[in-house]
Amino acid sequence: MAKTYDEINEKIKAGEVVVVTAEEMVGVVAEQGAAAAAEKIDVVTTGTFSPMCSSGAFLNFGHSTPRMKLTNAWLNEVPAYAGLAAVDVYIGAAEVAKGDPLNRDFPGEFNYGGGHVIHDLIAGKDVRLRAKAYGTDCYPRRELDTWINIEDLNECYLCNPRNAYQNYNVAVNVHADRDIYTYMGVVKRDLGSANYSSAGQLSPLLNDPYYRTIGIGTRMFLGGAQGYVYWQGTQHEPTGERNDKGVPTGGAGTLATVGDMKQMDPRYVVGVSMLGYGASLALGLGTAIPILDEEMAAFCGVSDADIVAPIVDYSRDYPNNEGAPLGHVSYADLKSGAIEIKGKRVPTTPLSSYVRAKEIAEKLKGWIKAGEFFLTEPVQPLPSPEESPGFKMLNYRPIEGEQAPPTDRLRSEGDTRLREGSE
Amino acid sequence: MSERRIVLRFPTELIDQPVISTMLERHELRFNILRAHITPDEEGLMVLGLEGTEQDLDGAMQWMRDQGVGVQPLERDVVRDEEKCTHCGACINICPTGALSMDVETREVSFDPDKCVACGLCVPVCPPRAMSVSF
Ligand code: SF4
Ligand code: SF4
């Protein structure tokens, strides 16, 4: 028998709701079947904790005396985008501190960036705000150098254009004669490692592959607080290949999320540095999936053995948009510690913390049981495979009269060219 | 036969001297360089694994001290900040000795200081910078 959102919320209110994590649901569905699981279980909670570069925060500092319209702003020396009204800025997770040597001393360490600023703010640390302005009649102040604290900000919320990738590549290094440094971590030469980054069976969108219960307005766990989905994430691409359970066999749907930083827990919003790649933010998020019917129970019963990811070469194919995946591999195999590629045993390297993903799913389960978290029906669904225009690559159009810039390939030993900095 | 891991500090004037090879001529030891590094102020640091009799080991360490080399046993130079570690696993294939390893069942990453040779490879690889080496 089908359930409604209202019925489930009534059960939450009455303290009678039955909630399990997506990991626990695997066993329930395997043992009792989807129909019985749908009768018994009301909500399945998911979780994921991993670097999500497309994250950032809007902050409003309040006005200084005299007033100032910020033109350039730095938070602990990390540039924040100030091309907004007077004292609003956006700080992106992947922005690096001014003066960082970047990849000039390869591989660069990127020790402090936007993700770290966001973490420090949430942790209640004072952050130095430096700003410059050209000055106007209404906003005469030209310079500012002061301390700010999350307590004193007006608004501060994470506003992330792309989180929670539904499935992702497994990165390997086939062609380079050295280890490569990527957003997927250090990928060792000669097929020396296979790096993956998904919580698999616990991951939000892998448990609702066609976005039946998640869409604009969906309440969720974001960074330790209750946040929301505000749009499909950038690069949302539901049209790709799916397996017989409807689960995409590669990167697919994404979520754009928003939530109040003042309510967040620094444990789930952690600044990270990817060697040779850049700064980022490891973010914890999770969803609560209503088990409306047998189909939703079956979706949430998906296990690591049912979900496969494409093995992609990051030394040549990925950067240059060449080649095809070297094959597919299940998360069960990835989690065993090693997989086989071209007859070779390749150790696997996870980048996403399953331990913390599970902690998030458990925490969300606790909130629901305690009557602190209610489910929301999407205001509008995310684009479905049928509706989505799919994902486009850049249509490169040469500028008339200008010489095309050189196409860079992988850095080789002795390549001394400096990459452009953001100073 | 005993095994010892030691941290050696070479002052600038000794950096280009054949201290190690002379030591090996005088004492019967097997050795393994676990890490070598010259700091910006030109002090040399070396982490060495030595194998031999207690007598040879003691003798070699004393001889090096006499030459002006700082000698100290390698102890817990590498630490993991347990608050910072997220148990992601990014370090497990970087660590050459298996000191950092993941339990396949619990998915927790453990750090075993006894297996650590203080190579420092994990330090810049760990995304939240939970690992640190101090000499
Ligand atoms: S320093 Fe780090 S990488 Fe090196 S042995 Fe110790 S734990 Fe492993
Ligand atoms: S890379 Fe760092 S955070 Fe990740 S498991 Fe290793 S020590 Fe912990």
Side-chain angles (χ1 to χ4, degrees), chain B residues 71-134:
Chain B
V71 182
Q72 71 183 71
L74 170 63
E75 275 164 337
R76 299 185 172 227
D77 289 311
V78 176
V79 286
R80 180 167 76 170
D81 183 332
E82 299 298 334
E83 279 295 299
K84 280 191 177 172
C85 173
T86 65
H87 297 270
C88 64
C91 54
I92 57 176
N93 286 322
I94 297 299
C95 176
T97 66
L100 286 160
S101 65
M102 180 177 266
D103 181 315
V104 177
E105 284 308 311
T106 66
R107 317 296 306 161
E108 277 180 17
V109 175
S110 62
F111 171 54
D112 180 354
D114 291 337
K115 287 191 186 163
C116 173
V117 294
C119 69
L121 287 173
C122 54
V123 175
V125 164
C126 168
R129 297 285 187 267
M131 304 298 299
S132 59
V133 187
S134 52

Side-chain angles (χ1 to χ4, degrees), chain A residues 128-418:
Chain A
R128 188 168 175 178
L129 165 66
R130 226 163 42 77
K132 284 190 173 13
Y134 50 78
T136 70
D137 288 345
C138 44
Y139 292 107
R141 190 176 185 127
R142 308 273 292 273
E143 263 180 74
L144 185 66
D145 193 355
T146 185
W147 294 103
I148 59 158
N149 187 285
I150 192 164
E151 297 279 313
D152 307 323
L153 298 178
N154 288 310
E155 287 74 24
C156 55
Y157 50 93
L158 282 192
C159 186
N160 306 332
R162 178 167 73 251
N163 287 162
Y165 238 120
Q166 186 180 24
N167 213 343
Y168 210 73
N169 295 339
V170 177
V172 294
N173 175 354
V174 180
H175 303 284
D177 53 6
R178 59 167 176 80
D179 295 349
I180 57 169
Y181 301 89
T182 74
Y183 66 85
M184 295 290 286
V186 182
V187 193
K188 293 172 87 178
R189 59 183 289 181
D190 302 323
L191 280 171
S193 66
N195 299 17
Y196 66 102
S197 182
S198 167
Q201 63 192 14
L202 256 184
S203 187
L205 293 177
L206 289 172
N207 283 282
D208 187 359
Y210 292 105
Y211 331 114
R212 257 192 74 194
T213 67
I214 189 151
I216 295 166
T218 298
R219 188 178 290 128
M220 65 189 300
F221 176 110
L222 185 68
Q226 297 190 16
Y228 297 88
V229 175
Y230 70 84
W231 205 249
Q232 71 265 29
T234 52
Q235 299 186 17
H236 177 76
E237 160 56 315
T239 69
E241 204 175 290
R242 288 165 187 263
N243 69 11
D244 56 356
K245 301 212 172 200
V247 180
T249 56
T254 64
L255 302 176
T257 64
V258 62
D260 184 4
M261 283 163 64
K262 292 194 186 194
Q263 315 289 328
M264 289 185 187
D265 181 342
R267 182 172 174 80
Y268 304 109
V269 192
V270 178
V272 292
S273 309
M274 305 306 289
L275 185 62
Y277 178 74
S280 187
L281 183 73
L283 181 63
L285 55 84
T287 54
I289 302 177
I291 304 303
L292 301 173
D293 52 27
E294 189 180 331
E295 186 187 49
M296 286 315 300
F299 283 150
C300 290
V302 74
S303 80
D304 282 334
D306 303 321
I307 311 168
V308 297
I311 303 168
V312 176
D313 166 57
Y314 271 62
S315 59
R316 187 195 69 192
D317 294 356
Y318 180 87
N320 302 308
N321 295 318
E322 294 173 12
L326 280 76
H328 284 82
V329 61
S330 76
Y331 282 96
D333 288 341
L334 286 164
K335 286 182 181 170
S336 74
I339 56 171
E340 210 185 281
I341 307 172
K342 295 179 166 181
K344 192 179 172 210
R345 185 184 172 276
V346 182
T348 56
T349 306
L351 291 160
S352 152
S353 170
Y354 193 80
V355 175
R356 208 157 280 188
K358 208 159 130 178
E359 183 181 307
I360 289 165
E362 286 290 348
K363 203 159 181 154
L364 185 49
K365 181 164 104 178
W367 288 354
I368 297 168
K369 282 187 167 169
E372 292 164 3
F373 184 103
F374 293 90
L375 307 191
T376 43
E377 190 165 355
V379 175
Q380 185 177 303
L382 300 178
S384 66
E386 295 76 36
E387 291 159 354
S388 170
F391 175 66
K392 296 187 204 71
M393 298 302 283
L394 176 76
N395 174 19
Y396 175 72
R397 297 187 296 161
I399 309 292
E400 302 85 35
E402 295 283 339
Q403 212 179 347
T407 359
D408 289 331
R409 289 265 163 165
L410 189 76
R411 284 162 172 269
S412 55
E413 211 75 53
D415 180 351
T416 53
R417 269 176 310 162
L418 303 181

